[in-house]
Amino acid sequence: MPKTSARLLALLSLLQTRRDWPGGLLAERLDISLRTVRRDVDRLRELGYPISAVKGPDGGYRLRPGTELPPLLFDDEQAVAVTVALQIAATTVGSGLAEPAQRALGTIRQVMPARLRHRVNAVSVTAVDRPATRPAPPVDGDVLLALSTAVQAREVLRFDYGTEDLSRPPRRVEPHHVVTWSGRWYLIAFDLDRREWRTYRVDRIVLRTPNGPRFTPRELPGGDVATYVTSVFRGSTDGSGNWPCQGTVILGAPAATIARYTREGLVEEHGDGRCRLTVGSWSWPSLAAAIARYDADIEVVGPPELTAAFAHLARRFARISD
């Protein structure tokens, strides 16, 4: 029989892997008697682990949520995954959680066996945001938690937003998702007074308490949060997630060259050192300007709105050069 300490760790590891464990199955997996299983469960309870007995023909045990956080036990893969996730959180600006994530990362690394510490140290992750004119303001972790809790509980939120007059009634929304986009945090919600879906910056939200009544979630335009958020930030009104303006051109440059400078869009070989580019933007003039930046001969395939946008920009640029 293994030593008591090793046996307790093995028992705890098993209890964390599934909801319910029959006593007989635990005894079999640990190669001990049912009486020893009961004794070890009592020892874990004394250490603060909330283990309840499960009624039934076989009896059993369940590790349930408690009022305090007891020591956790991770297998190798879980430990590596947690530390990588904490590295990303600790190097991400604007969440308000960077410092707690860094402390949690240090705590886990301190108790890691050498073999895992070497694996984790080999994966050094740094989150680099695109340069911005204005860095994303920090977000209060308590506000993030309150918003996420309301999303899960399906409770109407009341809050003041931005620099609005505080004498105005607070906004009332049905919160559906908390998301990140380009380093900022947003709340996706249905505004009950405006009767429309809205996207709110979390750093501008000042919560009012208490929350409102529970609600039945509505279906997001586009069917899922990724499509909806992409539509919002691309200026699309049909909920498809596509750009409202999309066009195709033939560029007088090889596909390999154009692909290096194309973050979004489809680049295809067209022969004779040329390529076919299909790309989108929020307006036709902005799309024409984006295509012109490649500094290559352009042949418009379509649609006619893109041709008209090039003509519009040509007249504007001609006035500047006069």
Side-chain angles (χ1 to χ4, degrees):
M1 182 183 297
K3 293 182 179 180
T4 302
S5 57
R7 202 174 61 241
L8 290 177
L9 289 175
L11 173 58
L12 179 59
S13 180
L14 289 175
L15 289 172
Q16 289 181 161
T17 58
R18 54 187 281 182
R19 180 176 175 82
D20 296 327
W21 275 95
L25 184 55
L26 284 173
E28 179 182 340
R29 293 286 294 271
L30 297 171
D31 194 22
I32 57 178
S33 67
L34 273 172
R35 182 179 178 182
T36 303
V37 170
R38 288 192 292 269
R39 250 195 337 256
D40 287 349
V41 166
D42 288 338
R43 291 190 178 100
L44 287 175
R45 287 169 175 161
E46 292 173 359
L47 292 173
Y49 293 95
I51 302 172
S52 58
V54 178
K55 296 180 179 180
D58 299 327
Y61 301 96
R62 174 185 303 166
L63 181 62
R64 56 183 174 78
T67 57
E68 296 181 354
L69 183 66
L72 302 177
L73 196 66
F74 297 116
D75 61 28
D76 288 9
E77 288 75 17
Q78 289 173 325
V80 172
V82 168
T83 51
V84 170
L86 286 172
Q87 283 188 59
I88 296 173
T91 56
T92 300
V93 177
S95 69
L97 301 175
E99 192 271 336
Q102 187 64 50
R103 288 191 288 110
L105 183 60
T107 300
I108 292 179
R109 273 181 166 156
Q110 185 176 353
V111 298
M112 271 187 174
R115 70 178 189 281
L116 284 184
R117 194 177 301 114
H118 292 323
R119 288 179 62 186
V120 169
N121 289 340
V123 185
S124 181
V125 179
T126 301
V128 178
D129 293 328
R130 285 186 296 168
T133 304
R134 294 182 180 178
V139 172
D140 191 327
D142 290 337
V143 174
L144 277 178
L145 180 60
L147 295 179
S148 299
T149 300
V151 169
Q152 294 298 320
R154 299 176 180 176
E155 293 177 344
V156 171
L157 279 173
R158 302 183 309 124
F159 58 82
D160 301 310
Y161 190 65
T163 57
E164 292 178 338
D165 185 355
L166 296 181
S167 64
R168 295 179 54 184
R171 304 206 179 202
R172 299 182 308 118
V173 305
E174 295 176 352
H176 281 254
H177 293 86
V178 176
V179 302
T180 60
W181 181 278
S182 295
R184 295 186 186 272
W185 291 81
Y186 297 90
L187 172 69
I188 308 302
F190 185 82
D191 191 302
L192 294 171
D193 297 315
R194 294 165 177 79
R195 307 302 300 173
E196 63 182 3
W197 288 95
R198 300 294 294 268
T199 304
Y200 301 96
R201 275 178 45 178
V202 172
D203 61 281
R204 294 180 176 177
I205 291 177
V206 179
L207 291 171
R208 296 274 194 102
T209 57
N211 291 345
R214 293 173 63 87
F215 63 90
T216 301
R218 307 167 191 262
E219 183 177 355
L220 273 171
D224 63 82
V225 65
T227 301
Y228 172 76
V229 172
T230 301
S231 296
V232 168
F233 288 101
R234 285 183 169 180
S236 175
T237 58
D238 60 5
S240 66
N242 296 323
W243 289 105
C245 303
Q246 297 185 82
T248 301
V249 297
I250 305 298
L251 295 178
T257 301
I258 299 300
R260 288 202 300 266
Y261 308 103
T262 304
R263 294 189 58 194
E264 298 182 1
L266 177 63
V267 182
E268 303 170 286
E269 289 286 359
H270 191 69
D272 298 329
R274 301 188 299 166
C275 69
R276 181 186 180 98
L277 172 67
T278 300
V279 69
S281 188
W282 58 275
S283 74
W284 292 112
S286 69
L287 178 57
I291 294 172
R293 70 188 176 90
Y294 289 107
D295 191 23
D297 291 337
I298 303 169
E299 176 188 338
V300 176
V301 176
E305 290 86 349
L306 180 56
T307 302
F310 276 113
H312 170 73
L313 290 181
R315 291 191 296 270
R316 177 180 294 172
F317 295 153
R319 288 195 298 271
I320 295 174
S321 62
D322 288 341

